[in-house]
Short mmCIF file of all heavy atoms in Angstrom, two decimals:
data_model
loop_
_atom_site.label_atom_id
_atom_site.label_comp_id
_atom_site.label_asym_id
_atom_site.label_seq_id
_atom_site.Cartn_x
_atom_site.Cartn_y
_atom_site.Cartn_z
N MET O 194 7.24 -5.05 3.80
CA MET O 194 6.22 -4.01 3.86
C MET O 194 6.13 -3.45 5.29
O MET O 194 5.91 -2.27 5.49
CB MET O 194 4.87 -4.57 3.40
CG MET O 194 3.71 -3.61 3.45
SD MET O 194 2.84 -3.58 5.02
CE MET O 194 2.35 -5.26 5.24
N LEU O 195 6.31 -4.30 6.28
CA LEU O 195 6.26 -3.85 7.67
C LEU O 195 7.55 -3.15 8.10
O LEU O 195 7.59 -2.56 9.18
CB LEU O 195 6.01 -5.04 8.59
CG LEU O 195 4.67 -5.72 8.49
CD1 LEU O 195 4.63 -6.96 9.38
CD2 LEU O 195 3.54 -4.77 8.83
N VAL O 199 7.64 4.23 10.68
CA VAL O 199 6.38 4.97 10.63
C VAL O 199 5.21 4.02 10.39
O VAL O 199 4.15 4.15 11.01
CB VAL O 199 6.42 6.09 9.56
CG1 VAL O 199 5.04 6.72 9.36
CG2 VAL O 199 7.45 7.16 9.94
N ARG O 200 5.40 3.03 9.54
CA ARG O 200 4.33 2.06 9.28
C ARG O 200 3.99 1.27 10.54
O ARG O 200 2.82 1.07 10.87
CB ARG O 200 4.71 1.10 8.16
CG ARG O 200 4.72 1.75 6.81
CD ARG O 200 5.05 0.75 5.72
NE ARG O 200 5.93 1.42 4.77
CZ ARG O 200 6.94 0.86 4.14
NH1 ARG O 200 7.21 -0.42 4.29
NH2 ARG O 200 7.68 1.57 3.32
N ILE O 201 5.01 0.85 11.27
CA ILE O 201 4.78 0.11 12.51
C ILE O 201 4.04 0.99 13.51
O ILE O 201 3.07 0.56 14.13
CB ILE O 201 6.12 -0.38 13.11
CG1 ILE O 201 6.79 -1.40 12.19
CG2 ILE O 201 5.90 -0.96 14.51
CD1 ILE O 201 6.02 -2.68 11.99
N ARG O 202 4.46 2.24 13.63
CA ARG O 202 3.79 3.15 14.58
C ARG O 202 2.34 3.40 14.17
O ARG O 202 1.45 3.44 15.02
CB ARG O 202 4.56 4.46 14.68
CG ARG O 202 4.00 5.41 15.69
CD ARG O 202 4.17 4.88 17.11
NE ARG O 202 3.60 5.85 18.03
CZ ARG O 202 2.67 5.57 18.94
NH1 ARG O 202 2.25 4.35 19.09
NH2 ARG O 202 2.19 6.51 19.71
N VAL O 203 2.08 3.57 12.88
CA VAL O 203 0.71 3.74 12.40
C VAL O 203 -0.13 2.53 12.80
O VAL O 203 -1.25 2.67 13.32
CB VAL O 203 0.66 3.96 10.87
CG1 VAL O 203 -0.74 3.76 10.33
CG2 VAL O 203 1.20 5.33 10.51
N LEU O 204 0.39 1.34 12.57
CA LEU O 204 -0.35 0.13 12.91
C LEU O 204 -0.62 0.05 14.41
O LEU O 204 -1.71 -0.35 14.84
CB LEU O 204 0.40 -1.12 12.43
CG LEU O 204 0.53 -1.24 10.91
CD1 LEU O 204 1.43 -2.42 10.55
CD2 LEU O 204 -0.81 -1.34 10.23
N GLU O 205 0.36 0.46 15.22
CA GLU O 205 0.14 0.47 16.66
C GLU O 205 -0.96 1.46 17.04
O GLU O 205 -1.81 1.16 17.87
CB GLU O 205 1.44 0.81 17.39
CG GLU O 205 2.44 -0.33 17.37
CD GLU O 205 3.74 0.02 18.08
OE1 GLU O 205 4.01 1.22 18.32
OE2 GLU O 205 4.49 -0.93 18.38
N LEU O 206 -0.94 2.63 16.43
CA LEU O 206 -1.97 3.63 16.72
C LEU O 206 -3.36 3.15 16.30
O LEU O 206 -4.35 3.40 17.00
CB LEU O 206 -1.64 4.96 16.04
CG LEU O 206 -0.42 5.71 16.58
CD1 LEU O 206 -0.05 6.86 15.66
CD2 LEU O 206 -0.69 6.21 18.00
N LEU O 207 -3.42 2.46 15.18
CA LEU O 207 -4.71 2.00 14.67
C LEU O 207 -5.29 0.86 15.50
O LEU O 207 -6.47 0.53 15.36
CB LEU O 207 -4.59 1.59 13.21
CG LEU O 207 -4.29 2.73 12.23
CD1 LEU O 207 -4.18 2.20 10.82
CD2 LEU O 207 -5.33 3.83 12.33
N GLN O 208 -4.50 0.26 16.37
CA GLN O 208 -5.03 -0.78 17.26
C GLN O 208 -6.11 -0.22 18.18
O GLN O 208 -7.00 -0.95 18.62
CB GLN O 208 -3.92 -1.40 18.11
CG GLN O 208 -3.00 -2.30 17.32
CD GLN O 208 -1.94 -2.90 18.20
OE1 GLN O 208 -2.17 -3.96 18.79
NE2 GLN O 208 -0.81 -2.24 18.31
N ALA O 209 -6.06 1.08 18.45
CA ALA O 209 -7.05 1.72 19.31
C ALA O 209 -8.37 1.94 18.58
O ALA O 209 -9.37 2.28 19.20
CB ALA O 209 -6.51 3.05 19.83
N LEU O 217 -3.33 10.96 13.25
CA LEU O 217 -2.08 10.24 13.01
C LEU O 217 -0.93 11.21 12.86
O LEU O 217 0.15 11.00 13.42
CB LEU O 217 -2.21 9.35 11.77
CG LEU O 217 -3.19 8.18 11.85
CD1 LEU O 217 -3.34 7.51 10.49
CD2 LEU O 217 -2.75 7.18 12.90
N LEU O 235 0.68 0.74 3.17
CA LEU O 235 -0.16 -0.10 4.01
C LEU O 235 -1.51 -0.39 3.35
O LEU O 235 -2.02 -1.51 3.42
CB LEU O 235 -0.38 0.56 5.38
CG LEU O 235 0.87 0.68 6.26
CD1 LEU O 235 0.58 1.55 7.48
CD2 LEU O 235 1.38 -0.68 6.67
N ILE O 240 -3.45 -4.19 4.44
CA ILE O 240 -3.35 -4.33 5.89
C ILE O 240 -4.16 -3.25 6.63
O ILE O 240 -4.51 -3.42 7.79
CB ILE O 240 -1.86 -4.34 6.31
CG1 ILE O 240 -1.69 -5.07 7.62
CG2 ILE O 240 -1.27 -2.97 6.37
CD1 ILE O 240 -0.25 -5.43 7.91
N VAL O 241 -4.44 -2.14 5.93
CA VAL O 241 -5.32 -1.11 6.48
C VAL O 241 -6.38 -0.75 5.44
O VAL O 241 -6.20 -1.00 4.25
CB VAL O 241 -4.56 0.18 6.91
CG1 VAL O 241 -3.52 -0.10 7.98
CG2 VAL O 241 -3.95 0.89 5.73
N LEU O 254 -7.36 -0.74 10.88
CA LEU O 254 -6.76 -2.04 10.58
C LEU O 254 -7.77 -2.87 9.80
O LEU O 254 -8.96 -2.84 10.09
CB LEU O 254 -6.38 -2.77 11.86
CG LEU O 254 -5.28 -2.13 12.72
CD1 LEU O 254 -5.07 -2.96 13.99
CD2 LEU O 254 -4.00 -2.00 11.94
N VAL O 259 -3.52 -8.33 12.51
CA VAL O 259 -2.41 -7.36 12.54
C VAL O 259 -2.08 -7.01 13.99
O VAL O 259 -0.92 -6.97 14.39
CB VAL O 259 -2.76 -6.09 11.74
CG1 VAL O 259 -1.67 -5.05 11.87
CG2 VAL O 259 -2.99 -6.44 10.29
N ALA O 260 -3.10 -6.77 14.80
CA ALA O 260 -2.88 -6.46 16.21
C ALA O 260 -2.22 -7.64 16.91
O ALA O 260 -1.32 -7.45 17.74
CB ALA O 260 -4.20 -6.09 16.88
N LEU O 263 1.47 -7.62 16.02
CA LEU O 263 2.20 -6.58 16.75
C LEU O 263 2.43 -6.97 18.20
O LEU O 263 3.50 -6.72 18.77
CB LEU O 263 1.47 -5.25 16.66
CG LEU O 263 1.42 -4.63 15.26
CD1 LEU O 263 0.49 -3.42 15.25
CD2 LEU O 263 2.81 -4.24 14.79
#
Side-chain angles (χ1 to χ4, degrees):
M194 178 271 303
L195 293 175
V199 171
R200 288 182 220 143
I201 296 296
R202 184 67 180 125
V203 165
L204 295 174
E205 287 179 344
L206 292 169
L207 294 179
Q208 287 181 88
L217 294 172
L235 293 171
I240 205 165
V241 300
L254 295 178
V259 176
L263 293 171

